[in-house]
Amino acid sequence: MPRSVNHVASRAKRKRILKLTRGYFGARKNVWTVAKNTWEKGLTYAYRDRKNKKRTFRALWIQRINAAARIEGMSYSQLMGALHKAGIEINRKVLADLAMNNPEAFKAIVTKVK
């Protein structure tokens, strides 16, 4: 009796992963084992970097707030402490957006907490 193998499903699985690795360099795009390892490693990086993205954006917002606060004569930590003490609950994302795109509104917030 001949050996039973499921060529249809296994070929479909290989084709699906090789399709996902199109555009990679060298053997990473067309050699099954290399492409599979590359694809799996890519999923690991994607998971890790979804977490790191939040960290990176928070750091960017803090830098923007600090730069705008120093123009107004305060440091970032002084501004955040004053905001907390004044009971103004505004997150860093919105504060950084105001600092970049609406400096008058940011200046009004700073003068309110001074």
Side-chain angles (χ1 to χ4, degrees):
M1 187 173 182
R3 191 165 63 103
S4 176
V5 288
N6 192 355
H7 278 306
V8 177
S10 57
R11 189 184 310 115
K13 183 178 178 183
R14 281 195 299 272
K15 278 184 74 170
R16 179 174 55 87
I17 290 175
L18 286 171
K19 187 178 178 185
L20 291 169
T21 58
R22 274 192 349 203
Y24 287 6
F25 182 80
R28 292 169 161 246
K29 69 173 167 277
N30 57 8
V31 176
W32 163 244
T33 50
V34 181
K36 183 171 175 284
N37 291 339
T38 303
W39 171 73
E40 287 174 346
K41 187 77 166 182
L43 293 178
T44 307
Y45 287 144
Y47 176 80
R48 179 199 69 190
D49 291 338
R50 280 195 298 273
K51 311 292 176 235
N52 287 356
K53 184 179 176 183
K54 296 162 182 60
R55 187 186 314 168
T56 308
F57 268 101
R58 184 181 171 97
L60 175 67
W61 297 331
I62 289 171
Q63 288 169 10
R64 287 178 174 175
I65 294 166
N66 190 25
R70 285 182 186 277
I71 291 169
E72 303 301 325
M74 294 180 90
S75 71
Y76 168 79
S77 60
Q78 290 170 342
L79 176 65
M80 296 311 282
L83 282 170
H84 183 71
K85 195 178 283 185
I88 299 172
E89 289 191 19
I90 184 167
N91 65 18
R92 286 164 181 81
K93 182 179 178 179
V94 173
L95 207 54
D97 186 55
L98 287 175
M100 288 289 292
N101 301 321
N102 199 343
E104 301 83 27
F106 185 82
K107 190 171 189 168
I109 291 171
V110 173
T111 52
K112 188 169 176 88
V113 297
K114 270 189 177 176

